[in-house]
Amino acid sequence: MKDESLRRHLWAVPFEIVMLAGVFVTFAKHDYFHLLTALFTFTVSFVPFIFERLFKVRLPSLLQVSYVAFVFGTMFVGEVWGVYARLPWWDDAAHFLSGLLVGMGVILWLSLLEYKNKLPKLPGWLLAIFTACFMAAIAVLWEVCEFSSDQIFGTFSQGADLVDTMWDIILGSSGGVVMGILFALHARKKRVIGVSKAVEEFRRFNR
């Protein structure tokens, strides 16, 4: 399990090399805010590997690729490279993609519980609603964290703009809705590109 998890994590190394380089560059520039951001993104890129070790599960390759690419493209490219400031739509895309990613995680969790008979067979529409509501709760919680950071540490995460905050919640929730619909289709025995393969792979890995 250990060697296999490490081997399946190797594809993430190029991303992590870039993020580690960002740590040294920001330190050399005495840019300590972006130094902490680069260090944080580098650290959390190992979450799939650590998660597998702690919980003795194997994650689908699609989920691992999506996660590290998301961390790299949002927190590192967006913040450390300053893309958020140059491309306003980058933040909107990040919130929508976060909904897709969290939604995929919920789908795998529910499908595994159902597969192991720890969850009764539920209709697809109910699974879709739960997935969408779970992501909506995460989106709201994220905005609460950003608001708290702005108030306590003087950051400017929300830009003092209620409209921006609401759009972030809407976009994040929309990603959850999309994944919920795809999950409902999968539950009705329809082949959904990406979702069906990830669910089948996750179940096969964790029998």
Side-chain angles (χ1 to χ4, degrees):
M1 178 70 176
K2 178 180 177 181
D3 293 338
E4 182 184 352
S5 296
L6 183 60
R7 185 170 58 253
R8 288 190 294 113
H9 184 80
L10 290 178
W11 60 265
V13 170
F15 290 103
E16 290 163 350
I17 290 174
V18 175
M19 288 186 279
L20 185 59
V23 172
F24 291 107
V25 170
T26 51
F27 178 78
K29 292 182 176 180
H30 304 289
D31 183 358
Y32 297 116
F33 174 76
H34 287 135
L35 166 63
L36 292 176
T37 304
L39 186 60
F40 177 75
T41 56
F42 174 73
T43 302
V44 299
S45 70
F46 291 93
V47 165
F49 174 67
I50 296 172
F51 186 87
E52 287 191 333
R53 296 290 308 283
L54 287 178
F55 296 98
K56 308 301 184 198
V57 298
R58 294 169 60 191
L59 300 175
S61 301
L62 176 62
L63 184 63
Q64 295 192 52
V65 171
S66 300
Y67 172 80
V68 177
F70 175 79
V71 168
F72 180 78
T74 56
M75 288 187 284
F76 187 81
V77 174
E79 189 64 53
V80 179
W81 286 0
V83 174
Y84 283 141
R86 295 195 295 271
L87 301 175
W89 56 266
W90 196 269
D91 181 62
D92 295 337
H95 282 278
F96 180 72
L97 291 174
S98 71
L100 297 180
L101 188 61
V102 173
M104 175 59 78
V106 174
I107 287 173
L108 295 179
W109 172 50
L110 291 176
S111 65
L112 185 63
L113 290 177
E114 185 180 86
Y115 180 67
K116 292 192 172 184
N117 297 318
K118 294 182 179 181
L119 185 71
K121 185 70 175 179
L122 298 174
W125 63 267
L126 186 57
L127 295 172
I129 291 175
F130 179 84
T131 302
C133 289
F134 188 93
M135 181 54 216
I138 294 297
V140 171
L141 180 61
W142 180 260
E143 293 304 313
V144 169
C145 291
E146 285 192 346
F147 174 78
S148 301
S149 175
D150 290 350
Q151 296 299 310
I152 297 172
F153 302 109
T155 57
F156 204 59
S157 304
Q158 295 186 314
D161 187 349
L162 178 60
V163 174
D164 179 70
T165 299
M166 292 308 301
W167 270 116
D168 289 347
I169 294 175
I170 292 170
L171 289 167
S173 301
S174 297
V177 170
V178 170
M179 293 308 297
I181 293 173
L182 295 179
F183 192 20
L185 292 174
H186 170 79
R188 296 186 65 178
K189 308 302 181 183
K190 296 184 181 298
R191 191 72 185 173
V192 180
I193 297 175
V195 173
S196 297
K197 181 179 180 180
V199 169
E200 292 164 0
E201 188 178 45
F202 191 57
R203 286 180 173 180
R204 186 174 67 254
F205 281 169
N206 300 284
R207 290 174 179 173

